[in-house]
Amino acid sequence: MTNLPHEHGQNEEVILAQLPDEEEISGVAEAMKQLGDPSRLRIFWLLCHCEECVLNIAALVNMSSPAVSHHLRLLKNSGLIVSRRSGKEMYYKTADTELAQVLHHTIETLGRITCPRETPPQNKK
Amino acid sequence: MTNLPHEHGQNEEVILAQLPDEEEISGVAEAMKQLGDPSRLRIFWLLCHCEECVLNIAALVNMSSPAVSHHLRLLKNSGLIVSRRSGKEMYYKTADTELAQVLHHTIETLGRITCPRETPPQNKK
DNA sequence: TTCTTGATTAAACAATCGTTTAAGTGTTGA
DNA sequence: TCAACACTTAAACGATTGTTTAATCAAGAA
């Protein structure tokens, strides 16, 4: 019943039925895209480990505050971080959601894989 | 010893010491960036579950073969997929690496989170 | 060889993105 | 009220990205 150019031994019907729909794919891609930029990735990683105000974040990642502000807005729009005002300062930190936690865990895991430090890259067979 | 605009109660020194270096961050961002595009995400997801030739992939994700070929090249350059020639056809599938496995797992997890289907979004406290 | 099929490459284009500079909020304290 | 500080927004710019069309390459069949 599948209408493919070539017919191999595979069962594409079953696989296609499980293929996440447009909306679902877009949602995941949106989250991944946010962390596809090194600047945002560093900021997100930082905010996974502490809550900081904009000026401090800018100093820690060595960027201008408008640039940091811009990225913070994107991260916040994607629901990855949250903010809170205290006096003149705006404090940001990673959102306490499963989405943020999964991504944090992924980053830490990938960090070890893509650039191994102490442990050699073991191609487990 | 930290030279920050503001001094909060945090221990930024300790955190900064653990901040992944430039190279490590770039590597992770690169992998995430690849899957930040909905087209590539769908192709990658598909190739996590079957091995297919370009024309079939194009038909399954409803894209032109040049477009698919373009994305396949990017995914391959990032080490996320591998290819094999059999006669006139080039077959692609997800690479058998920890990197690809982690990302696959992340996608499946995020898919359930960002767009819950049967299970309601449980904000576990 | 020549023809057909499968896949890649190249060029062109609009669209998106990240950064910078400058102007604009909002809050605090003098 | 005014000035200083923290932050955000706006506009502009160069750079990158994704898609399309057309041309090219690779492999097998006639």
Side-chain angles (χ1 to χ4, degrees):
Chain A
M1 203 61 81
T2 44
N3 226 347
L4 292 178
H6 299 288
E7 193 58 51
H8 309 132
Q10 309 229 18
N11 209 346
E12 287 93 355
E13 286 184 37
V14 179
I15 296 168
L16 258 193
Q18 299 180 334
L19 196 151
D21 56 43
E22 204 84 22
E23 194 183 356
E24 200 164 355
I25 286 284
S26 303
V28 177
E30 174 57 29
M32 303 284 264
K33 188 192 226 172
Q34 292 311 313
L35 304 184
D37 177 70
S39 301
R40 273 194 300 275
L41 184 59
R42 282 173 75 198
I43 293 174
F44 178 76
W45 183 92
L46 186 66
L47 298 180
C48 280
H49 300 91
C50 65
E51 184 185 39
E52 281 289 359
C53 64
V54 178
L55 280 192
N56 274 6
I57 297 172
L60 289 166
V61 300
N62 201 29
M63 290 171 63
S64 71
S65 49
V68 167
S69 210
H70 168 68
H71 289 301
L72 288 173
R73 189 165 57 87
L74 294 179
L75 287 171
K76 194 179 176 185
N77 286 347
S78 300
L80 294 176
I81 63 173
V82 293
S83 63
R84 139 183 100 81
R85 179 179 280 278
S86 172
K88 284 186 279 192
E89 282 129 29
M90 286 290 278
Y91 289 88
Y92 287 88
K93 68 170 179 179
T94 302
D96 187 16
T97 61
E98 211 175 343
L99 171 63
Q101 283 165 23
V102 168
L103 288 174
H104 179 201
H105 178 256
T106 301
I107 292 168
E108 304 257 341
T109 307
L110 289 187
R112 259 179 275 116
I113 294 176
T114 61
C115 185
R117 295 200 159 177
E118 277 129 328
T119 54
Q122 42 188 351
N123 248 322
K124 56 175 63 175
K125 190 63 165 305
Chain B
M1 202 61 81
T2 46
N3 226 346
L4 292 178
H6 299 286
E7 193 59 51
H8 309 133
Q10 309 228 17
N11 209 346
E12 287 91 355
E13 285 184 37
V14 179
I15 296 170
L16 257 194
Q18 299 179 332
L19 196 151
D21 56 44
E22 204 84 22
E23 194 183 356
E24 200 163 354
I25 286 284
S26 302
V28 178
E30 175 58 28
M32 302 286 264
K33 188 193 227 171
Q34 292 311 313
L35 304 183
D37 176 69
S39 300
R40 275 196 297 278
L41 185 60
R42 281 173 76 196
I43 293 174
F44 178 77
W45 183 92
L46 186 67
L47 297 179
C48 280
H49 299 91
C50 64
E51 184 185 39
E52 281 287 1
C53 64
V54 178
L55 280 192
N56 274 6
I57 297 172
L60 288 166
V61 301
N62 201 28
M63 290 172 63
S64 72
S65 49
V68 168
S69 210
H70 168 67
H71 289 301
L72 288 174
R73 189 166 57 85
L74 295 178
L75 288 172
K76 194 178 175 185
N77 287 346
S78 299
L80 294 177
I81 63 174
V82 293
S83 62
R84 138 183 101 81
R85 178 178 281 279
S86 173
K88 284 186 282 194
E89 281 128 30
M90 285 291 277
Y91 288 88
Y92 286 88
K93 68 169 180 179
T94 302
D96 187 17
T97 62
E98 209 175 346
L99 172 63
Q101 284 164 23
V102 169
L103 287 175
H104 178 200
H105 178 256
T106 301
I107 292 168
E108 305 257 342
T109 307
L110 289 188
R112 258 179 276 116
I113 294 174
T114 61
C115 184
R117 295 199 159 177
E118 276 127 329
T119 54
Q122 42 188 350
N123 250 321
K124 57 175 63 174
K125 190 68 165 300

